[in-house]
Amino acid sequence: MKKIVLSSLVFINMSMGASFDDISIGDTYYINNFGDNNDFVIVVEKRNDGTIKVKDGYGTPKIVYPSKLLTKSELDEEEFGNRVLGWGLALGIIGCYANGDCGN
């Protein structure tokens, strides 16, 4: 059962996120946060320190690293991967307890 749980971790895509060079002023992204990622932001400035200044739908500015910015398609892929991971972990834990294999 440990193999099932560990193999479900493969679905996490650590390579997602925008490249500083590919970001343009006015682009729309989603911030990659744990939990709710549904709030879009608009790029307002590329800063010399490699960070990006964005504003959310309410006009609130934030400074983020480019790797935290996802396109809509990347956001959808990440959310799908999170669901698969969640189900994989849940099934692994249920299977572990069902087989009495959790202590091994």
Side-chain angles (χ1 to χ4, degrees):
M1 262 324 117
K2 290 179 186 177
K3 291 178 185 175
I4 292 172
V5 174
L6 291 175
S7 64
S8 67
L9 296 174
V10 172
F11 288 99
I12 298 174
N13 188 346
M14 302 304 281
S15 65
M16 287 186 180
S19 165
F20 186 84
D21 294 332
D22 295 335
I23 295 173
S24 297
I25 305 299
D27 286 352
T28 301
Y29 288 96
Y30 296 81
I31 295 181
N32 184 8
N33 286 325
F34 184 76
D36 186 16
N37 293 330
N38 294 324
D39 294 331
F40 71 91
V41 294
I42 297 173
V43 175
V44 294
E45 180 184 356
K46 292 174 72 172
R47 299 164 47 103
N48 291 333
D49 63 358
T51 59
I52 306 293
K53 183 177 182 180
V54 298
K55 286 189 178 179
D56 64 17
Y58 301 106
T60 306
K62 296 180 182 181
I63 305 297
V64 297
Y65 287 100
S67 61
K68 298 291 280 183
L69 298 176
L70 300 177
T71 63
K72 179 64 174 152
S73 61
E74 289 173 330
L75 175 67
D76 292 342
E77 288 175 27
E78 184 196 64
E79 288 183 349
F80 174 76
N82 289 344
R83 283 192 295 276
V84 169
L85 175 63
W87 277 104
L89 289 173
L91 291 174
I93 291 168
I94 290 169
C96 174
Y97 281 107
N99 292 330
D101 194 25
C102 292
N104 299 333

